[in-house]
Amino acid sequence: MPAKVPERLLALYSLLVARERPLSRAQIREGIEAYRELGSHAAFERTFERDKAALRQLGLELGVEHRYGEPVYSLDRFGLWLPEVRFDAGERLVLGMASRLWEDPRYGEEMDRAVWRLGLPASEAAHRSRIAVPGLDPGGHGFEVVLSALPRGEELSFDYRPGDGLTRRRRRLRPWGVGQRFNHWYVSGWDPERGEPRTMRLSRMSGIVSGPSDAPEPPPGFSMTRTLEDLADSGGARLRLRFAPGLLPVVADWLEAGTGLRRDPAAGEPERREGVVVLRAEVTDLEECCRCLAEVPGEVEVESEDLGPKALGEVWGRVAELTEAAARLTRLLESAPAQDAGAPHDPEAPRTRRRESNPRRFLRLLDILAYLGSRPGTTVGELAERFGATRRQIGRDIDAIAAAGDYLIGGGDLRIESLDGELYVHLTQHLDRPLRLPPEQVLRLLLAMRLLAEVAPELDPTIAAVTEKLARVAPEDSLDAEQVSIRVEPRTSGIVDRLRSAMEGGRSVVLAYRSRGREAATPRRVLPRDLYTTNGSWYLSALSLEHGDERTYRIEAIERVEEDASDAVATPAEGRRRDAAAASRPGRESDAVAPDLARPGPGVTPSAPDAARPERLLVWISRGAPRIAEQLDGETLRPLRLAEDPAPGVPREGDVVDIELRDRSGLRRYMLHHAGCVAPLGAPGWWTRA
């Protein structure tokens, strides 16, 4: 049977670690049975090149020298292994809390592995803090490229669209720091073209690639925290919006989200003139403003002295492009064979297990080896508890380690034995040492620490101690803690503090809350049970004292929090139910930019028939817009490639996704907002009915 990739990588790593002198390609092939089994020299060359690339991608650099006209290889051992670092009980608690803040499951698994390497058992890493902390959303592939380039001093090249424009141009930036404010990620650094520092929003950067740079390093004393403090979320051009009164809830949703438009702080309440509402607003992002207007094409008039006739013409041109892209995609998908999209949705059917990547498995095998090497006699059960896995999973890992040892000629460098249920390994020198954390993982932990410091200042001394120790576990001089920062706005922090205090004290409060689709806020008496976040947005789960059931409320839609004069207090049974609900939450819930489109909206309970028999809908979602599937909380059934292009710049590859439909007209607006990227599948007339 051909060798599996993780076992082959482990054999290659073990061979290179065991040899003090560099090895030629012929020596490597001779020393690893898995390479000899490949047969032809060409097959070995292809496989070895892939394995080298996989190790380098994981931060295990292979040094290359030339001796007698041929390349020889060795592992670059500088900064390869983790220095000794110890955390006390309080520091372990904070580190475990920080490791759970990243919402992306891939990042969560990486953080788990990082804190395991730092000495935290799985039980501490998985600790769910009672402190309400917003989750960290990486915001797409570009974030990973930035985090990788930052400690390496590389330069970014990308297409950039300014907030007050609709066109992109190629830009360059050598990043000095990265941080989050106003629920957006920002990258600060040196702009070689302008010859000065610049700060850019990550969501406006696309097509990001990295490469060598000769731009200057961060100056002494550079602080991303100060950079974020100097940012202003002030609006751009001022507008007057005119629309029918029935559209006021829709416009209110736009202003509350603030991604494209925001209420002009200098303006008062909306004016009503002869059956028309006039509302003053500011543009926060012109492209997002166009997407808002495209939700109700032709139904909102716009006046603006700041933009002028030419810019307004470009706005309406962009709105027309978006509506046409949505219509075109809908026409392409109306006749699609929906019946072949997949099996009927079964809510009781288990979800398909996500396949673990080969590099991720290889790293876990290395971590298990390091743990066994320093603790001989460990049992399978102890390993399962240590790494948060099942006994069956650990058993497969042990078999994989044994197979990797078999692939080494002689097998003496890597051998594993089981005596009376206890495991013992025979290792070459250094295999019993854990790998040093790559800079990207340290940066993610540091960002999480920054966020903890923002919302839990009582932890500041402990956070400072952990941050200092984390700086020692990355390769020397690869990063500075001042290069990352998080800022939570005072309004959000104040509301969350009051809700957290009420939740911990078991007291009820009165919220001034505006539901989506409503014009104004109304009072809601609630008993707070849980605070959580998805994709940077805060949510409150609370018992509605008026309705007697648990509902979800958006923090951004809460205008104020007041003490409840009736002072309802949670009973011990209610407190236990609240704790059980928090403990049983399956990770962080999926994001809902418009949560009531495909499932019950926050603070809104569907009618009984809908709740009992929710309608389901198949939609096509472009592969170029993966966040839409998360936001609609759907289940991917199969891929579907379109016969024609759905819209300029939108890939034809997509997925058929099964969603639960709650608000037909709201979902239509959402599809218009994300024109060309999502549409109903095999449902003629759906668009018109919506």
Side-chain angles (χ1 to χ4, degrees), residues 460-642:
D460 277 353
T462 306
I463 291 172
V466 174
T467 299
E468 181 183 355
K469 293 177 180 179
L470 283 176
R472 301 204 304 265
V473 303
E476 189 176 357
D477 299 329
S478 63
L479 56 89
D480 185 333
E482 289 300 317
Q483 291 179 281
V484 297
S485 185
I486 301 286
R487 168 71 190 272
V488 178
E489 298 311 301
R491 178 189 176 278
T492 300
S493 180
I495 290 176
V496 168
D497 282 347
R498 299 200 68 178
L499 292 173
R500 187 174 66 187
S501 174
M503 182 177 68
E504 293 173 351
R507 302 187 307 275
S508 62
V509 294
V510 178
L511 309 179
Y513 184 79
R514 188 191 72 84
S515 295
R516 289 191 188 274
R518 301 298 177 91
E519 293 186 16
T522 56
R524 310 291 179 90
R525 290 183 62 239
V526 302
L527 189 64
R529 287 184 167 172
D530 192 20
L531 283 161
Y532 64 97
T533 60
T534 59
N535 290 337
S537 296
W538 292 69
Y539 293 95
L540 166 70
S541 177
L543 174 67
S544 170
L545 298 180
E546 285 93 352
H547 300 91
D549 57 5
E550 188 164 327
R551 302 191 174 197
T552 304
Y553 304 88
R554 306 182 317 277
I555 298 298
E556 63 187 8
I558 300 175
E559 294 184 359
R560 61 185 179 276
V561 179
E562 300 175 347
E563 295 294 332
D564 186 4
S566 63
D567 196 22
V569 179
T571 66
E574 288 173 334
R576 286 193 296 272
R577 286 197 299 271
R578 179 190 66 199
D579 294 341
S584 64
R585 187 182 300 280
R588 300 188 185 280
E589 296 181 2
S590 59
D591 176 55
V593 170
D596 49 348
L597 301 186
R599 53 195 171 128
V604 178
T605 300
S607 60
D610 286 344
R613 294 182 298 276
E615 180 182 355
R616 304 202 70 84
L617 179 70
L618 296 179
V619 298
W620 181 88
I621 299 177
S622 165
R623 289 276 178 88
R627 299 293 295 280
I628 293 177
E630 299 175 13
Q631 292 167 356
L632 293 181
D633 196 25
E635 181 178 358
T636 301
L637 300 181
R638 70 175 176 91
L640 177 63
R641 190 176 193 274
L642 301 179

Side-chain angles (χ1 to χ4, degrees), residues 1-8 34-35 37 407:
M1 179 182 295
K4 295 181 180 179
V5 176
E7 287 91 322
R8 197 176 62 237
Y35 286 144
E37 291 176 349
Y407 290 129

Side-chain angles (χ1 to χ4, degrees), residues 87 124 172 190 208 273 295 330 441 466 507 571 598 611 634 654:
F87 299 92
E124 291 191 53
R172 294 158 54 207
W190 182 262
I208 307 175
R273 304 174 184 172
E295 292 183 25
T330 302
Q441 285 190 3
V466 174
R507 302 187 307 275
T571 66

Side-chain angles (χ1 to χ4, degrees), residues 164 446 464 518:
D164 58 357
L446 289 174
R518 301 298 177 91

Side-chain angles (χ1 to χ4, degrees), residues 101-109 136-138 144 535 630:
L101 297 186
W102 288 99
E103 295 174 356
D104 190 309
R106 297 170 303 158
Y107 281 24
E109 292 173 6
L136 285 167
D137 171 26
E144 297 180 13
N535 290 337
E630 299 175 13

